[in-house]
Amino acid sequence: MKVKKLTDLDVRGKKVFIRADLNVPQDEAGNITEDTRIRASIPSIQYCLDQGAAVMVTSHLGRPTEGVVGPDDTLAPVAVRLGQLLKTPVRLIADWVDGGFEIKPGEVVLLENCRCNKGEKKDNEELAKKMAALCDVYVNDAFGTAHRAEATTHGIARFAPVACAGMLMGAEIDALTKALYQPARPLVAIVGGAKVSTKLTILKTLAEKVDQLIVGGGIANTFLLAAGKRIGESLAEPEMVREAQQVMDIMKSRGAEVPLPVDVVVADEVSALARANRIPVDDVSPHDRILDIGPKSSAKLADLIAHAGTIVWNGPVGVFEHAQFAGGTKMMASAIAHSEAFSIAGGGDTLAAIAKFDIAGDVGYISTGGGAFLEFLEGKTLPAIAALEARFQD
Ligand code: ADP
Ligand code: MG
């Protein structure tokens, strides 16, 4: 993947338009409850300011109706927080699409919620051209929306004089490319979570690439079914057994493997008070629910992870929200944290597990883009990245 990078450009005296992802959670009064995304956007903005560029930043926030800026839609609280982090005032500009506002070199303004503009979601060409006319350089730093072709993520990249990836986007592209397309071997993937059906494309794509495909959670239960094991009342998708078998066949034909759990943690219900039992996988009884992998399996998988060259992780291997069923996921997290391998991780619940087991500092790269990360793992071309690739030569 070849895209122009912001840090390779000289933006002195230029007008720079940065599409960031500042879609932060807020409480009912509009206060920002978690500002990771704003913090993550600072390096690109600061880089442009330090070079003396006139900087415009925009982002979506929530899911507004196009054509109006409702009270919940405004980026006003984000402008305040951004100003605090940059230690410089950040003006918020409303109705900005047709220009008519001034910015000085070394100044940064925030352009109101881009999803309030008519035509944003549909990637309207006229809107994209107007936005492109505002700048000399377009910077996409919003990996989280890279799987969507919208006017600020895709259309504008076609018409701006220069289009490049910001520092966050650039790091994300580099990390994902390194892990999936130039991996140090063995490449080990861990795919957990509830259902095969939501991750089938990922499983199939990874089956063509990885040396070991560790499955966990409800996904592993479906694979156990495919291997002829009894799984009692466990969460699984019997209708996906053939697909699971296919994934195992692809791996086998490549001389790779899908290591299945040899022991499991079972209970008769999913609750904080449930009594958990560790048993061999062949001893699962009709009323059991498999809610985690057992300690023998964890140790075996941790060993595979310890010897990996590259690790890709999406999805917890058990119901880690409850302590009795968190052991497997904790062990995976700890193995990743202690491994010398380059690791990437992403996914909503995976990030929650990383936070819970406090290993964020020990993962090579934690993807900020939930849906975009999963689509990248599926092997799909992300439209926003494709738009930047198309402008690499200009
Ligand atoms: P991510 O958001 O990281 O992509 P998923 O949403 O696919 O992950 O899956 C996470 C959910 O899967 C968690 O809520 C977890 O409790 C659940 N889960 C994991 N293992 C099991 C299991 N054995 N049975 C039922 N649910 C499970
Ligand atoms: Mg999830």
Side-chain angles (χ1 to χ4, degrees):
M1 258 185 276
K2 284 220 168 291
V3 301
K4 232 178 219 141
K5 300 252 176 86
L6 172 62
T7 44
D8 294 334
L9 302 180
D10 184 356
V11 293
R12 220 165 301 264
K14 300 255 169 73
K15 283 184 285 179
V16 179
F17 181 112
I18 303 179
R19 170 57 158 103
D21 177 2
L22 308 172
N23 185 29
V24 286
Q26 291 169 284
D27 65 17
E28 274 170 17
N31 301 300
I32 295 166
T33 51
E34 214 278 318
D35 68 354
T36 305
R37 286 182 170 157
I38 304 180
R39 287 175 185 278
S41 300
I42 296 294
S44 289
I45 301 171
Q46 192 68 59
Y47 176 87
C48 294
L49 288 177
D50 291 348
Q51 286 211 346
V55 187
M56 296 162 264
V57 183
T58 193
S59 170
H60 69 289
L61 181 71
R63 297 177 186 278
T65 311
E66 291 187 1
V68 282
V69 183
D72 297 338
D73 305 333
T74 180
L75 285 173
V78 176
V80 173
R81 188 78 194 101
L82 200 54
Q84 290 165 345
L85 291 167
L86 290 165
K87 301 188 177 63
T88 182
V90 175
R91 272 189 294 144
L92 179 68
I93 314 272
D95 298 323
W96 49 271
V97 171
D98 292 303
F101 54 90
E102 295 286 322
I103 341 167
K104 291 188 269 310
E107 192 193 0
V108 54
V109 298
L110 188 62
L111 307 177
E112 188 57 281
N113 194 340
C114 58
R115 273 200 195 147
C116 294
N117 296 328
K118 269 197 177 134
E120 169 67 13
K121 295 280 285 180
K122 291 233 161 86
D123 199 14
N124 179 277
E125 192 167 312
E126 212 176 317
L127 173 64
K129 280 183 175 159
K130 281 185 183 177
M131 295 193 296
L134 298 172
C135 67
D136 303 308
V137 177
Y138 162 73
V139 180
N140 190 342
D141 215 15
F143 181 78
T145 51
H147 57 314
R148 302 214 167 93
E150 297 178 352
T152 56
T153 63
H154 180 265
I156 185 175
R158 294 163 56 208
F159 305 115
V162 173
C164 68
M167 291 157 87
L168 186 60
M169 174 75 108
E172 190 106 26
I173 293 174
D174 287 349
L176 294 176
T177 308
K178 186 169 146 194
L180 279 192
Y181 297 98
Q182 298 133 18
R185 302 254 169 199
L187 168 56
V188 176
I190 304 154
V191 181
K195 292 178 174 171
V196 171
S197 50
T198 60
K199 297 193 175 170
L200 183 62
T201 319
I202 294 178
L203 290 165
K204 285 190 171 164
T205 308
L206 290 177
E208 305 281 0
K209 291 192 167 72
V210 305
D211 300 296
Q212 268 109 18
L213 180 57
I214 296 174
V215 288
I219 292 178
N221 295 341
T222 304
F223 276 75
L224 286 171
L225 266 187
K229 303 285 181 195
R230 276 190 282 261
I231 61 165
E233 303 260 302
S234 304
L235 172 72
E237 294 163 289
E239 68 282 6
M240 285 284 142
V241 159
R242 277 188 51 189
E243 309 279 358
Q245 190 62 57
Q246 253 179 30
V247 170
M248 292 195 280
D249 290 345
I250 299 173
M251 289 293 283
K252 211 169 173 187
S253 70
R254 294 180 49 241
E257 54 172 326
V258 183
L260 292 179
V262 292
D263 59 344
V264 289
V265 179
V266 297
D268 51 16
E269 57 171 358
V270 185
S271 82
L273 299 173
R275 253 182 74 114
N277 280 318
R278 299 164 171 185
I279 55 170
V281 73
D282 290 320
D283 292 358
V284 175
S285 67
H287 296 296
D288 283 336
R289 285 169 198 269
I290 303 174
L291 298 172
D292 194 9
I293 53 175
K296 278 194 193 132
S297 308
S298 294
K300 193 176 137 199
L301 299 178
D303 188 56
L304 292 179
I305 292 170
H307 294 97
T310 308
I311 303 161
V312 175
W313 181 25
N314 169 250
V317 297
V319 183
F320 74 101
E321 294 90 342
H322 300 308
Q324 313 91 301
F325 314 118
T329 304
K330 190 176 182 183
M331 189 86 155
M332 295 304 101
S334 155
I336 292 168
H338 288 101
S339 164
E340 298 286 308
F342 176 64
S343 52
I344 61 166
D349 294 285
T350 309
L351 296 200
I354 286 172
K356 180 164 185 170
F357 302 124
D358 199 16
I359 60 154
D362 303 305
V363 180
Y365 196 84
I366 297 176
S367 177
T368 54
F373 173 74
L374 297 179
E375 289 199 17
F376 189 96
L377 293 189
E378 289 178 351
K380 289 198 182 129
T381 307
L382 306 184
I385 296 178
L388 295 180
E389 284 179 302
R391 299 296 311 276
F392 178 64
Q393 302 291 353
D394 317 334

